Short mmCIF file of all heavy atoms in Angstrom, two decimals:
data_model
loop_
_atom_site.label_atom_id
_atom_site.label_comp_id
_atom_site.label_asym_id
_atom_site.label_seq_id
_atom_site.Cartn_x
_atom_site.Cartn_y
_atom_site.Cartn_z
N MET A 210 36.62 -8.90 14.52
CA MET A 210 37.22 -8.38 15.79
C MET A 210 37.49 -9.51 16.82
O MET A 210 36.54 -10.19 17.14
CB MET A 210 36.43 -7.26 16.44
CG MET A 210 36.56 -5.92 15.64
SD MET A 210 35.41 -4.77 16.21
CE MET A 210 35.90 -4.50 17.95
N CYS A 213 35.36 -9.82 20.17
CA CYS A 213 33.88 -9.52 20.05
C CYS A 213 33.16 -10.80 20.18
O CYS A 213 33.43 -11.80 19.47
CB CYS A 213 33.69 -8.91 18.59
SG CYS A 213 32.00 -8.82 18.24
N LEU A 214 32.11 -10.81 21.12
CA LEU A 214 31.39 -11.98 21.42
C LEU A 214 30.68 -12.53 20.13
O LEU A 214 30.69 -13.79 19.83
CB LEU A 214 30.34 -11.68 22.42
CG LEU A 214 29.31 -12.69 22.86
CD1 LEU A 214 29.96 -13.90 23.52
CD2 LEU A 214 28.25 -12.16 23.73
N PHE A 215 30.04 -11.66 19.36
CA PHE A 215 29.27 -12.21 18.19
C PHE A 215 30.25 -12.61 17.14
O PHE A 215 29.89 -13.53 16.34
CB PHE A 215 28.25 -11.20 17.77
CG PHE A 215 27.03 -11.10 18.67
CD1 PHE A 215 25.96 -10.14 18.37
CD2 PHE A 215 26.87 -11.91 19.77
CE1 PHE A 215 24.93 -10.04 19.21
CE2 PHE A 215 25.74 -11.84 20.63
CZ PHE A 215 24.74 -10.84 20.34
N CYS A 216 31.35 -12.03 16.99
CA CYS A 216 32.42 -12.62 16.02
C CYS A 216 32.77 -14.02 16.42
O CYS A 216 32.93 -14.83 15.55
CB CYS A 216 33.61 -11.66 16.01
SG CYS A 216 33.43 -10.19 15.03
N LYS A 217 32.92 -14.19 17.76
CA LYS A 217 33.25 -15.53 18.20
C LYS A 217 32.16 -16.54 17.96
O LYS A 217 32.43 -17.69 17.60
CB LYS A 217 33.66 -15.54 19.71
CG LYS A 217 35.05 -14.82 19.95
CD LYS A 217 35.28 -14.80 21.45
CE LYS A 217 36.63 -14.18 21.66
NZ LYS A 217 36.85 -13.74 23.02
N PRO A 252 25.32 -10.06 10.71
CA PRO A 252 26.29 -10.35 9.69
C PRO A 252 27.44 -11.05 10.25
O PRO A 252 27.86 -10.73 11.38
CB PRO A 252 26.76 -8.95 9.29
CG PRO A 252 25.67 -7.93 9.97
CD PRO A 252 25.19 -8.62 11.12
N LYS A 253 28.00 -12.08 9.60
CA LYS A 253 29.09 -12.80 10.24
C LYS A 253 30.35 -11.87 10.30
O LYS A 253 31.16 -12.03 11.24
CB LYS A 253 29.43 -14.03 9.30
CG LYS A 253 28.44 -15.14 9.45
CD LYS A 253 28.88 -16.35 8.61
CE LYS A 253 28.09 -17.54 8.81
NZ LYS A 253 28.48 -18.70 7.91
N GLU A 254 30.51 -11.12 9.36
CA GLU A 254 31.61 -10.14 9.34
C GLU A 254 31.28 -8.94 10.26
O GLU A 254 30.13 -8.44 10.26
CB GLU A 254 31.89 -9.76 7.91
CG GLU A 254 33.26 -9.01 7.71
CD GLU A 254 33.49 -8.60 6.34
OE1 GLU A 254 33.04 -9.28 5.40
OE2 GLU A 254 34.11 -7.49 6.06
N HIS A 255 32.25 -8.55 10.98
CA HIS A 255 32.05 -7.26 11.90
C HIS A 255 32.08 -6.03 11.07
O HIS A 255 32.95 -5.30 11.08
CB HIS A 255 33.15 -7.32 12.95
CG HIS A 255 32.77 -6.38 14.11
ND1 HIS A 255 32.48 -6.85 15.43
CD2 HIS A 255 32.61 -5.05 14.15
CE1 HIS A 255 32.24 -5.79 16.10
NE2 HIS A 255 32.33 -4.64 15.43
N ILE A 256 30.97 -5.85 10.35
CA ILE A 256 30.95 -4.63 9.42
C ILE A 256 30.63 -3.33 10.20
O ILE A 256 30.83 -2.29 9.64
CB ILE A 256 29.89 -4.84 8.35
CG1 ILE A 256 28.47 -4.96 8.92
CG2 ILE A 256 30.26 -5.97 7.37
CD1 ILE A 256 27.38 -4.40 7.97
N ALA A 257 30.09 -3.47 11.34
CA ALA A 257 29.64 -2.27 12.16
C ALA A 257 29.45 -2.65 13.55
O ALA A 257 28.96 -3.81 13.87
CB ALA A 257 28.40 -1.72 11.49
N PRO A 306 28.54 -4.80 20.99
CA PRO A 306 28.72 -3.92 19.85
C PRO A 306 29.20 -4.58 18.58
O PRO A 306 30.25 -4.46 18.16
CB PRO A 306 29.83 -3.00 20.45
CG PRO A 306 30.52 -3.83 21.47
CD PRO A 306 29.52 -4.80 22.06
N HIS A 307 28.32 -5.39 18.09
CA HIS A 307 28.36 -6.03 16.75
C HIS A 307 27.00 -5.95 16.21
O HIS A 307 26.05 -6.49 16.76
CB HIS A 307 28.85 -7.52 16.97
CG HIS A 307 28.93 -8.34 15.69
ND1 HIS A 307 30.06 -9.06 15.33
CD2 HIS A 307 28.10 -8.52 14.69
CE1 HIS A 307 29.85 -9.67 14.13
NE2 HIS A 307 28.61 -9.46 13.78
N LEU A 308 26.80 -5.32 15.01
CA LEU A 308 25.52 -5.10 14.52
C LEU A 308 24.61 -6.35 14.57
O LEU A 308 25.06 -7.42 14.12
CB LEU A 308 25.62 -4.60 13.03
CG LEU A 308 24.32 -4.32 12.39
CD1 LEU A 308 23.49 -3.21 12.94
CD2 LEU A 308 24.57 -4.08 10.84
ZN1 LIG B 634 32.02 -8.70 15.98
#
Side-chain angles (χ1 to χ4, degrees):
M210 283 171 62
C213 170
L214 175 65
F215 285 178
C216 283
K217 286 180 180 163
K253 287 181 169 178
E254 195 181 323
H255 194 113
I256 61 152
H307 176 129
L308 179 65

